[in-house]
Structure formats: C-alpha cells, structure tokens
Amino acid sequence: MNSNPEADITLRFLAEPSDVNFGGNVHGGNVMKWIDHAGHTCAANWSSAYCVTVYVGGIRFLKPISVGDLVELKAELMHTGRTSMHISVSVHARNPRDPQRRFTTHCILVFVALDDQGKPQRIPDFVPDSDHSKRLNAYAKRMIELREQMQSEAQAFLTEMDV
C-alpha cells in the first residue's frame, strides 16, 4: 500500500441484476467499465486534471462475479511519465454474507492528463515509498518495455498488411 493518499483509491458497490450476461455472471464489459472508472478516478485524483485512457492492457478475468456480490476495485498508481500515469486496478468480489473475497480481475491502464485546451499536461512525479509501490513501479517499467516491443512488432505486421 502507498503511504501517499492520492496514489490509490478503492471503490465498492453491489453488482446489480442489470450487470448480468447470458451466462448468469457479471458481463466482462461491465467489469471493464468499472476498471476504467476506478483507474480514471485514481488518475484524476493524482493529477488534479481531466484524464483520458490511452492504453488498457493485460486484462485478466480470473473468477466470475455474481449478481449481489460486493465488488471492490482498488486502483493504485504504479508509475508516472511527464503527462502519463500507469494505474493497476485489482477487482475483488464476495457474497455479502461471506467474509471470504475472491480476486476476480486485474488490469493495467495508462491515462494522460489534459489541460483546458485538451493538450497533455505535466503531472506530479510519483516516487514509490513502500516495498509494494516499488514492486508496482518496477512492474510498470517492465510492461512499458514489453509494450514498446509489441508496438514495433505490430507496426511491422500492419505495414505488411497494408498492400
């Protein structure tokens, strides 16, 4: 956990019947929307600016969420660039009658802070100050390296496809 209160947020609510897919569990698209909402809230809180999502990666749906489950989304700042923020969002759920919660979903998002003219805006630097935040920061840096490799591979592939 970060000792800086602006570096993480937690959202909690009950999964509603309107969130269910045809399989009887919460629809993955709803979970993705919740993740984006939690990530945006964390990014806006850190930057004190309007933020836009520029990347969503590595979403993992590990366990289903049921209607009526208490859902908890923890968004944590991992790394900052000049105008960007890497945010880790972990989703847990549990039946309100059961104290045991399940780790259901994880995702990393990147947001960019914008000024009033819609241009990228400088944000405060994030300095990890706990073992946990240092691990998140190192993981974000590794993901940046891998994403750059993937973008290079994708560009080469897409160039070949544009015949």
Side-chain angles (χ1 to χ4, degrees):
M1 175 173 266
N2 297 307
S3 63
N4 185 332
E6 283 79 34
D8 61 65
I9 66 124
T10 301
L11 302 179
R12 290 182 188 95
F13 52 88
L14 294 174
E16 299 179 7
S18 60
D19 298 325
V20 175
N21 63 21
F22 292 110
N25 295 311
V26 170
H27 192 283
N30 285 11
V31 178
M32 291 168 62
K33 178 182 174 183
W34 299 339
I35 287 170
D36 191 55
H37 186 137
H40 179 267
T41 304
C42 184
N45 191 47
W46 179 261
S47 65
S48 299
Y50 175 71
C51 299
V52 293
T53 311
V54 296
Y55 178 82
V56 177
I59 190 162
R60 298 291 312 251
F61 296 100
L62 305 167
K63 294 184 181 168
I65 300 172
S66 301
V67 169
D69 276 352
L70 177 61
V71 180
E72 178 178 297
L73 291 96
K74 172 97 174 185
E76 301 175 88
L77 190 61
M78 302 173 73
H79 177 75
T80 55
R82 192 176 65 77
T83 63
S84 65
M85 293 152 280
H86 287 69
I87 310 282
S88 167
V89 180
S90 299
V91 183
H92 290 84
R94 69 177 180 85
N95 183 311
R97 295 170 297 205
D98 182 356
Q100 189 65 35
R101 61 185 201 148
R102 306 176 308 281
F103 182 36
T104 67
T105 317
H106 182 262
C107 188
I108 294 175
L109 302 97
V110 179
F111 292 87
V112 170
L114 301 179
D115 64 17
D116 292 338
Q117 287 71 47
K119 304 283 187 215
Q121 162 181 310
R122 183 137 180 79
I123 59 167
D125 291 331
F126 173 64
V127 179
D129 60 358
S130 69
D131 289 342
H132 177 72
S133 62
K134 288 175 185 174
R135 279 193 305 278
L136 284 175
N137 188 262
Y139 183 60
K141 289 178 180 179
R142 179 66 180 133
M143 292 299 102
I144 290 167
E145 293 170 7
L146 292 173
R147 194 167 60 246
E148 288 171 355
Q149 287 178 322
M150 287 175 39
Q151 286 174 340
S152 176
E153 293 281 331
Q155 187 58 44
F157 177 76
L158 293 173
T159 300
E160 291 176 13
M161 296 297 292
D162 189 24
V163 181

